[in-house]
Amino acid sequence: MGAVSLVSLTRTLAGLALGALALSGCGSSLDESGGSGSGGARSEKVRIGLLVPLSGVYAPIGEDMKAGFELYLDQHDGKLGGREVDLVTADEGEGPQTGVPAAQKLVDQNQVTAVAGVVNSATALGLRDFFHESKKPLLIANAGADDITGARKSAYVWRTSFSNGDVSAALGPAVAKEVKGGVYLVAADYAAGKEMVAGFRKTFEAAGGKVAGEKYTPFGKTQDFQPYLSAIRESGADAVFAFYAGAEAVNFVKQYKQFGLAGKTPLYGTGFLTEGGALAAQGAAAVGVKTSLHYSTELDTPVNKEFVAAYEKAAKKPPTVYAVQGYDTAAVLDKALAGAGGDGGDALVEALGKVGSVDSPRGPWKFDADHNAEQTYYLREVETSGGTAVNAVVGELE
Ligand code: PHB
């Protein structure tokens, strides 16, 4: 046998041995659920998939979520459930066309124990059946698609963030109270935009509010909002409710000011409109914008103050709701992996059901019966503090 074929035989054998190790959970013996079955301290590494947008309009959101997840890991010696973590990051991109194959690769090829992340509602909806059928836990750390914890809830899908309908519904009654005339509704044209508007409209109209118009703008493609801002002005609306996030939020809020609507027609929205990097880019243009969200950097609690300081030190910028959701997802996985009787999907979801209250920078929250986050929503208003725009906490919403 020549040298070349000897090398290739050695490689083949090494590959077979590695494959066998991967299948056997790195050397431990497996029970039927795919875990060690002991439920006690386990020493082998655990491989977790992190699926976040690293490209497209939501890339800044993905960056924050990843930084939050990694901060939790750094604070816990790189371990979850007492085990070293092998974190495999994949790009969700701008929607299901990229996000679904990336998630399937994490599960089928990388053989992760669970997947965390997912920013876009359309991606989450596209992933639901795959995770449900492969009985693999999916921890959604942002995407708010209502059905994910509603009509299409699954034993294997858990959400540490919010549902679109909840975060916008929280704002409806407050706006109905503050605005006497009609409110124009405008949002990105995809699942999340539609649900944010529907949630807001429901509680807003129930509280006596009047809608002056409604418009959806092409998602990920709209950079010039002038035609929509003209339509808002022509409608004679007394205020506006908007859902935009990431790069779209920056353009909408800046152009709202440039167009002369800021200061005349009050702007409301879900908090994603004025969050983190978007707020920093909007600067003075965002002052006065009022939003609903389950987090603000300005929350005056010891847990949040400690988190803000640690995050700023690590990431060199203030945290965002996306960073908190990433951080909390790691915290939830930490507890669940520590309590699970193995790495199989069924063992892990059983442990997820026992996680209980999470002592988060956003305030305490827990999973409800549908695996959605049950939490407080805050009313926030953009103010300048020390020359920087911040989301001051004005109150708590019902
Ligand atoms: C969503 O698609 O569900 C989504 C995306 C970005 C946000 C909020 C919700 O900031």
Side-chain angles (χ1 to χ4, degrees):
M1 195 182 282
V4 173
S5 48
L6 233 184
V7 167
S8 71
L9 177 65
T10 317
R11 275 201 189 135
T12 309
L13 287 173
L16 283 173
L18 269 179
L21 262 181
L23 282 175
S24 72
C26 301
S28 68
S29 63
L30 295 182
D31 64 14
E32 279 173 358
S33 65
S36 71
S38 69
R42 311 178 65 218
S43 55
E44 74 272 27
K45 277 194 175 186
V46 61
R47 188 174 296 165
I48 302 293
L50 188 63
L51 181 68
V52 293
L54 302 170
S55 58
V57 282
Y58 287 164
I61 298 179
E63 191 187 297
D64 289 0
M65 187 175 285
K66 185 166 181 286
F69 196 98
E70 287 175 347
L71 174 63
Y72 187 91
L73 278 181
D74 287 348
Q75 290 177 340
H76 294 81
D77 300 325
K79 291 181 178 172
L80 294 177
R83 292 158 66 187
E84 257 181 70
V85 175
D86 177 10
L87 192 65
V88 187
T89 304
D91 185 10
E92 176 185 339
E94 219 163 66
Q97 303 85 343
T98 42
V100 171
Q104 286 170 338
K105 184 165 176 256
L106 285 172
V107 171
D108 295 336
Q109 285 181 35
N110 300 107
Q111 301 204 314
V112 296
T113 291
V115 172
V118 189
V119 166
N120 184 310
S121 276
T123 309
L125 290 166
L127 287 175
R128 187 269 178 203
D129 288 350
F130 172 71
F131 281 87
H132 183 75
E133 278 151 27
S134 43
K135 299 185 189 289
K136 189 62 76 175
L138 171 64
L139 287 100
I140 296 181
N142 186 70
D146 291 339
D147 278 357
I148 287 292
T149 52
R152 296 181 65 205
K153 72 179 177 189
S154 160
Y156 301 95
V157 182
W158 298 69
R159 181 155 55 198
T160 60
S161 50
F162 57 87
S163 72
N164 294 326
D166 282 358
V167 67
S168 59
L171 189 62
V175 179
K177 211 164 165 193
E178 284 186 14
V179 180
K180 290 299 155 240
V183 173
Y184 198 100
L185 315 175
V186 62
D189 191 6
Y190 79 104
K194 297 271 171 63
E195 290 180 351
M196 296 279 182
V197 166
F200 174 81
R201 185 192 263 272
K202 196 167 161 198
T203 56
F204 173 67
E205 289 185 331
K210 296 274 171 299
V211 172
E214 183 171 338
K215 187 80 194 167
Y216 296 92
T217 58
F219 172 65
K221 294 188 194 83
T222 309
Q223 267 149 24
D224 179 7
F225 287 94
Q226 302 282 330
Y228 309 105
L229 297 168
S230 291
I232 289 171
R233 181 179 281 159
E234 277 156 30
S235 76
D238 293 278
V240 171
F241 167 85
F243 164 74
Y244 292 107
E248 290 197 312
V250 177
N251 287 332
F252 183 81
V253 171
K254 280 174 102 169
Q255 290 173 26
Y256 197 86
K257 166 90 172 169
Q258 283 158 7
F259 201 72
L261 284 168
K264 291 197 190 112
T265 311
L267 178 57
Y268 295 88
T270 40
F272 316 107
L273 193 60
T274 58
E275 199 54 9
L279 181 60
Q282 293 155 356
V287 170
V289 178
K290 287 188 185 172
T291 62
S292 56
L293 203 66
H294 44 292
Y295 180 67
S296 165
T297 50
E298 306 312 293
L299 280 173
D300 193 8
T301 63
V303 177
N304 187 45
K305 288 198 154 145
E306 208 178 294
F307 171 76
V308 170
Y311 186 90
E312 282 183 342
K313 192 164 172 232
K316 312 279 175 263
K317 60 181 177 183
T320 57
V321 71
Y322 312 110
V324 172
Q325 289 165 176
Y327 187 82
D328 285 0
T329 303
V332 159
L333 267 171
D334 191 11
K335 284 194 187 188
L337 282 163
D343 281 356
D346 289 311
L348 202 53
V349 298
E350 196 188 326
L352 279 166
K354 295 180 186 154
V355 157
S357 181
V358 182
D359 197 13
S360 162
R362 69 179 98 166
W365 68 272
K366 61 178 165 55
F367 287 119
D368 68 13
D370 296 328
H371 305 173
N372 200 21
E374 200 175 289
Q375 59 199 341
T376 301
Y377 287 98
Y378 306 99
L379 179 63
R380 323 179 314 166
E381 179 170 357
V382 178
E383 289 175 0
T384 37
S385 161
T388 318
V390 296
N391 289 292
V393 179
V394 182
E396 289 186 5
L397 295 163
E398 285 302 295

